[in-house]
Amino acid sequence: MKINDKKSLTLKTLNKSNVWDLQESDILRMLEAAGKDADAKDNIRHYTDIIKSAFEVETLTADRPEIVNKYEDRGFTTGTMRTAEGHEAHIALKKRPIMRVTDLTYENIRHITAEKLVEVLDRNFGGGWESLSQSIQDIILTGFDISTTTLPKDRLHKPGGMYEKKLADGYAVLEIAKGAWTEAIFAKLKPETEKPHIKYTDDDTRKYDGDEEEEDLPEERDTYGDEEEDDFDDDKLTEESYRTTIEENPEDLDLAAEDVAEDDDY
């Protein structure tokens, strides 16, 4: 989010997605401004529910230095806000960390970088992309382009290969060692695009105006793992045809590129 966009946000424009772009100081600024807005004060519980989806919020029992220091030592930022009853309350805020794959949601997935996603994946599993649950994969794929390849570790970094091309195209990569093989997971944040929505007229003619629910739209084709046919060559077939389903000892396999290309059953 651009800095100007962040500053223009108010409690009234806050939602469970854009709240992830803010920091503790931004929230405290909004809550302070809300104390001067009668309408905002009337709906403070609704706004705090939104804030709590991305921040830990705790009420201090007293504004004493020893209590404030205890929360600040835990990484909280302290401040004040007006409650729904009009009283001043001392609060402590801390952004919810995204440390595990189970911390990923449809609301926050577009508010992390590809490098952060790779860090989260690396911290949480060692079994590869397919070891993730379908629900976690679906969340990730709403925000990122993902592709994977599994190759003998001495071939993964071959000059001019898929690995080198993905990095040049701005992908972050996670390498997962699997014996003599390595799985590479490539991730790149998808550009935001506005999807058309359906609007019904009196004669049931469908028009798209961007304001209605996006029901009955044709499903987007899942391009996960696809590669453009124009880039097909024998060397590429060799690189991207290795999979993790091979049971034999990889050190006993004949990995010559010409043998792989001539295997009719591969």
Side-chain angles (χ1 to χ4, degrees):
M1 174 176 284
K2 296 179 181 178
I3 294 179
N4 291 337
D5 293 338
K6 180 189 288 188
K7 289 184 176 180
S8 67
L9 279 176
T10 66
L11 286 181
K12 295 179 181 180
T13 59
L14 206 60
N15 58 53
K16 290 186 177 182
S17 177
N18 61 26
V19 69
W20 284 94
D21 282 316
L22 302 177
Q23 300 303 320
E24 293 85 353
S25 59
D26 301 313
I27 298 297
L28 290 172
R29 170 180 57 81
M30 291 181 178
L31 292 173
E32 181 181 356
K36 305 171 186 178
D37 186 324
D39 184 52
K41 285 191 292 185
D42 290 341
N43 294 282
I44 196 66
R45 285 195 178 92
H46 168 68
Y47 301 132
T48 53
D49 284 343
I50 293 174
I51 292 169
K52 287 178 179 179
S53 69
F55 291 83
E56 295 179 47
V57 182
E58 298 194 23
T59 302
L60 278 61
T61 55
D63 188 25
R64 295 199 301 270
E66 61 270 23
I67 295 178
V68 171
N69 291 339
K70 180 181 71 173
Y71 279 97
E72 291 182 347
D73 288 344
R74 292 167 53 197
F76 283 80
T77 300
T78 59
T80 60
M81 64 172 285
R82 287 286 174 181
T83 66
E85 293 75 23
H87 305 303
E88 184 177 76
H90 299 283
I91 62 170
L93 297 170
K94 184 169 71 171
K95 189 79 165 284
R96 294 187 184 278
I98 301 175
M99 304 294 291
R100 304 175 299 276
V101 292
T102 51
D103 295 326
L104 298 173
T105 67
Y106 286 106
E107 289 78 21
N108 66 27
I109 190 62
R110 293 196 60 84
H111 299 278
I112 62 174
T113 64
E115 289 73 20
K116 175 64 176 179
L117 176 63
V118 164
E119 176 188 320
V120 170
L121 295 178
D122 187 34
R123 184 181 296 116
N124 282 273
F125 71 93
W129 174 256
E130 294 302 328
S131 72
L132 290 171
S133 68
Q134 187 61 53
S135 60
I136 295 298
Q137 288 186 20
D138 290 344
I139 289 172
I140 294 173
L141 291 171
T142 62
F144 290 86
D145 284 319
I146 299 290
S147 58
T148 70
T149 186
T150 301
L151 293 168
K153 58 185 179 182
D154 58 349
R155 287 185 55 81
L156 182 62
H157 297 275
K158 176 185 174 182
M162 181 182 183
Y163 188 99
E164 186 176 283
K165 291 176 181 177
K166 288 291 187 183
L167 291 187
D169 197 27
Y171 282 78
V173 61
L174 171 64
E175 297 181 36
I176 302 172
K178 296 182 175 182
W181 298 66
T182 299
E183 177 177 356
I185 302 176
F186 303 95
K188 183 178 181 181
L189 188 65
K190 290 180 178 178
E192 278 196 90
T193 56
E194 184 175 346
K195 296 181 181 180
H197 301 283
I198 297 175
K199 180 177 180 180
Y200 294 94
T201 61
D202 291 339
D203 60 358
D204 288 331
T205 301
R206 297 186 179 186
K207 296 182 179 180
Y208 298 91
D209 66 352
D211 295 325
E212 302 299 327
E213 294 295 329
E214 50 181 331
E215 296 179 359
D216 300 329
L217 286 175
E219 293 184 1
E220 293 184 2
R221 179 174 175 267
D222 183 4
T223 57
Y224 162 70
D226 288 355
E227 298 294 333
E228 294 189 13
E229 295 181 1
D230 292 342
D231 296 332
F232 179 85
D233 57 34
D234 288 341
D235 187 57
K236 184 175 179 181
L237 175 62
T238 300
E239 265 194 48
E240 300 181 33
S241 295
Y242 292 107
R243 308 310 308 163
T244 59
T245 55
I246 296 178
E247 301 293 339
E248 293 86 358
N249 185 343
E251 296 180 355
D252 296 334
L253 297 176
D254 183 359
L255 300 178
E258 60 270 17
D259 292 341
V260 173
E262 292 175 1
D263 189 346
D264 293 336
D265 296 327
Y266 190 72

